[in-house]
Amino acid sequence: WQLHRHSGLYDMMHFLYELWLFCCLCPFILGMGCWWPCCTECAICSDDWTGIADGTDVSTGTACGWTEDAGAWSVTSNAVTTTSANARLRSNTPHPAGTGEQKITVTLSSSASADLIRVVLAYVDVDNYHFCEVKTGASGYIRLYKRVATVETLIDVQADQPTTHFATSTPRTIAVCLNDAQALFTARSLDNTDIAIQGSVTIPASANEFGLATGATVTGTVTFDNFT
């Protein structure tokens, strides 16, 4: 049979082809990698801390529920904040399928330069997890790491990115994904499509938790909002 050029089915197939080119092939050619494989059913819960009074315990009245594993955390102006280095806030809502395949979108910022902000995925325990790290300020960056038996190993960093993108006191929204089927760990800025990185990983079967964190350097107030 023939597919007529002006038929509705032809138009739909042509649209899907162009969408594939835009979302996957074009970014791949430009060196950004293909973002289409990221799991689409892995958003487990969401929180924006709206309507929660300042000073309220972080886990109170939230959709995800949170445990303060390290550092001091608080709700401030409908967002969650910390001034602690090496802080970690872990969700009490693990992946319902018990896997490490996860997709997280969150808005983050810091009031100081050179602060290290982290999004944690595939959390097994304090010594084993994956994380995306953002450094703020003039020498800012976005990187992917894995932590195995306390040893942190760099997976990928985009060396040619605009280093001022994660400027001080400038909220940026990033999307981070672990795709088990593709064995890919990816991160990108939703505010600048040129900032995108990915690396190959093996996700432990029991790595079904996630969270928010900071690195060894924090001199300002780190803020997370619009978590999903």
Side-chain angles (χ1 to χ4, degrees):
W1 56 278
Q2 290 184 330
L3 186 62
H4 294 289
R5 185 174 181 82
H6 298 290
S7 70
L9 181 57
Y10 173 88
D11 292 340
M12 177 61 73
M13 292 180 67
H14 186 68
F15 169 76
L16 292 174
Y17 173 72
E18 289 183 335
L19 183 64
W20 175 78
L21 286 176
F22 176 78
C23 292
C24 188
L25 185 59
C26 291
F28 182 80
I29 292 173
L30 294 173
M32 294 164 56
C34 177
W35 299 104
W36 193 258
C38 189
C39 48
T40 57
E41 301 298 329
C42 300
I44 303 164
C45 61
S46 61
D47 266 328
D48 60 10
W49 294 278
T50 297
I52 299 177
D54 288 4
T56 303
D57 185 90
V58 175
S59 64
T60 301
T62 62
C64 296
W66 300 92
T67 296
E68 298 181 44
D69 284 344
W73 297 81
S74 62
V75 175
T76 306
S77 301
N78 298 321
V80 65
T81 64
T82 184
T83 57
S84 302
N86 296 314
R88 188 174 62 260
L89 186 66
R90 181 168 46 87
S91 173
N92 298 331
T93 310
H95 195 298
T99 73
E101 189 165 74
Q102 299 162 352
K103 178 182 179 181
I104 291 176
T105 302
V106 65
T107 302
L108 46 79
S109 65
S110 178
S111 62
S113 180
D115 278 2
L116 301 180
I117 310 173
R118 295 178 173 182
V119 178
V120 176
L121 299 91
Y123 181 92
V124 178
D125 54 40
V126 66
D127 296 327
N128 299 276
Y129 52 85
H130 291 64
F131 63 92
C132 172
E133 181 175 86
V134 167
K135 181 181 179 182
T136 60
S139 59
Y141 60 66
I142 183 169
R143 295 178 176 178
L144 299 176
Y145 286 89
K146 63 179 179 180
R147 180 179 172 92
V148 179
T150 74
V151 178
E152 295 178 357
T153 303
L154 179 66
I155 297 173
D156 193 24
V157 58
Q158 186 172 340
D160 59 349
Q161 69 183 14
T163 56
T164 57
H165 180 66
F166 296 106
T168 302
S169 298
T170 303
R172 297 297 189 188
T173 301
I174 64 171
V176 189
C177 176
L178 273 174
N179 187 313
D180 199 15
Q182 299 287 334
L184 280 178
F185 188 13
T186 61
R188 59 181 173 129
S189 169
L190 300 186
D191 302 297
N192 185 335
T193 55
D194 289 334
I195 299 178
I197 54 178
Q198 69 179 34
S200 299
V201 294
T202 300
I203 306 173
S206 59
N208 65 342
E209 296 184 323
F210 52 91
L212 307 171
T214 60
T217 301
V218 173
T219 60
T221 299
V222 173
T223 301
F224 295 93
D225 199 3
N226 303 317
F227 177 93
T228 185

